[in-house]
Amino acid sequence: MLFNYIKIAIRSLVKKRVFSLLNISGLALGMSACLSIFYYVNYEFSFNKSFTESENIYRAYFSRQMEDGKFRVYKSPAAGLKVRLDDVPEIESSFRMANIDYQNNSIIYDGREGRKIIEQTGVRFADADIQKTLSLELVSGSFESMNEPMKVVLSKEVASKFFDPQDAIGKTISVSGNAGDNDYEIVGVIEDLPSNTTFSFSVLLSMPSMEKVEGVKIDDDWDNWRFRTYLKCALPIAKMNEVLKNHILEEDTFQSDETTWYQIEKFLLPIYD
């Protein structure tokens, strides 16, 4: 019986070739479009959700009152803010990050086969707790030494351009840019980040290096707004906002009658928003 149905269907398709071709092509095109849209929507909604406990990871933001209204600033006075966050027991971990791609950086490695130079984007100064906050997967090494100046962690892709990522620990690279040439010891290699993330770093320079290289204060400075600040906590965001306001708003930066900086509604945003 089933064989007869199949035979009749084939005869019908052969008899009405043009009509069958149009119907099959339309069905295939519709299914392809549906799957493509589903993939695209799923990709967009998955941004920054690949990190462990991403629902507990937030970025800090501030608002400023201008003549034409209010606007958000996702950079923060992270030097001072980080010190405050470290004093909040409800916060599991936090880190600062400063983008220095504007310095037109190159990575230089002098190996047995000679000098190799590559232009590199994704260069950031970052705190050691970035690994704990984002649960970055290590290929080799660790972040323990990232609390010291002139240390660096590379992505697997960048490390592979110079040597075997498993053999990278202890080697020295030079970061050359507008701020000059500076040598860094490799202390770790991490797995490459997925494409569906707003984090685009591939070279992480230890935060104490910033003070040594650029003369930037990284402790208790509320006037330097170059950083982005992220934190991880298990409290509901509404409760965490209240906790942080009690710690942050007491700073002189937000107490002056002339200041235009303040927080409105929320102090934190989930990283996948």
Side-chain angles (χ1 to χ4, degrees):
M1 181 67 72
L2 179 61
F3 178 75
N4 288 334
Y5 286 145
I6 295 175
K7 184 165 63 174
I8 292 171
I10 293 175
R11 287 176 179 175
S12 178
L13 291 173
V14 172
K15 185 178 180 179
K16 301 177 181 180
R17 291 185 177 88
V18 177
F19 181 76
S20 299
L21 179 62
L22 290 174
N23 275 277
I24 294 173
S25 299
L27 178 62
L29 183 61
M31 291 179 65
S32 299
C34 182
L35 289 173
S36 297
I37 293 172
F38 174 79
Y39 175 80
Y40 174 77
V41 172
N42 182 66
Y43 177 81
E44 291 295 322
F45 275 92
S46 66
F47 258 68
N48 286 342
K49 291 186 178 180
S50 60
F51 299 107
T52 303
E53 297 181 350
S54 60
E55 69 278 5
N56 294 334
I57 304 175
Y58 305 95
R59 58 179 172 176
Y61 80 85
F62 288 77
S63 295
R64 188 171 190 177
Q65 179 67 49
M66 304 296 287
E67 293 181 0
D68 54 351
K70 303 171 184 175
F71 73 93
R72 290 177 176 176
V73 178
Y74 291 104
K75 291 188 177 181
S76 58
L81 184 58
K82 179 68 168 67
V83 173
R84 279 295 183 189
L85 294 181
D86 288 343
D87 292 335
V88 180
E90 292 86 352
I91 295 177
E92 297 178 23
S93 60
S94 65
F95 70 91
R96 301 163 289 183
M97 182 179 292
N99 186 341
I100 58 170
D101 280 344
Y102 67 90
Q103 295 181 1
N104 302 313
N105 298 295
S106 296
I107 307 297
I108 304 172
Y109 175 65
D110 292 312
R112 295 180 179 179
E113 300 178 358
R115 169 168 287 197
K116 188 171 184 179
I117 304 174
I118 61 169
E119 295 183 359
Q120 187 63 49
T121 58
V123 183
R124 310 283 191 268
F125 285 107
D127 287 300
D129 274 351
I130 185 175
Q131 195 272 332
K132 182 179 179 181
T133 305
L134 299 181
S135 299
L136 299 176
E137 186 177 350
L138 283 159
V139 176
S140 59
S142 72
F143 276 75
E144 293 180 5
S145 299
M146 286 291 282
N147 290 315
E148 303 173 11
M150 314 317 291
K151 307 296 182 183
V152 62
V153 170
L154 304 177
S155 70
K156 185 177 180 180
E157 179 184 6
V158 172
S160 298
K161 295 177 181 179
F162 300 102
F163 29 65
D164 184 344
Q166 295 288 349
D167 299 328
I169 308 305
K171 289 183 168 58
T172 299
I173 61 169
S174 180
V175 178
S176 177
N178 298 347
D181 297 350
N182 296 282
D183 292 336
Y184 293 85
E185 179 189 354
I186 301 173
V187 296
V189 177
I190 57 173
E191 290 287 354
D192 298 328
L193 297 176
S195 59
N196 57 339
T197 177
T198 54
F199 293 101
S200 57
F201 54 81
S202 54
V203 177
L204 295 174
L205 309 177
S206 61
M207 187 59 70
S209 306
M210 192 174 193
E211 186 167 5
K212 186 173 182 179
V213 172
E214 299 187 10
V216 175
K217 293 177 62 177
I218 62 172
D219 294 322
D220 206 18
D221 183 356
W222 289 87
D223 297 321
N224 190 333
W225 290 73
R226 288 182 55 185
F227 305 84
R228 288 179 182 265
T229 303
Y230 299 86
L231 61 90
K232 186 174 185 179
C233 64
L235 286 180
I237 187 170
K239 186 173 182 179
M240 196 65 225
N241 279 320
E242 291 302 317
V243 171
L244 288 178
K245 286 179 181 179
N246 293 333
H247 281 79
I248 305 302
L249 290 180
E250 64 188 39
E251 291 297 326
D252 293 340
T253 302
F254 306 106
Q255 292 295 324
S256 171
D257 293 335
E258 299 179 357
T259 185
T260 57
W261 292 101
Y262 62 99
Q263 296 88 27
I264 57 170
E265 300 163 358
K266 294 188 293 185
F267 181 77
L268 303 174
L269 284 175
I271 60 170
Y272 48 76
D273 274 5

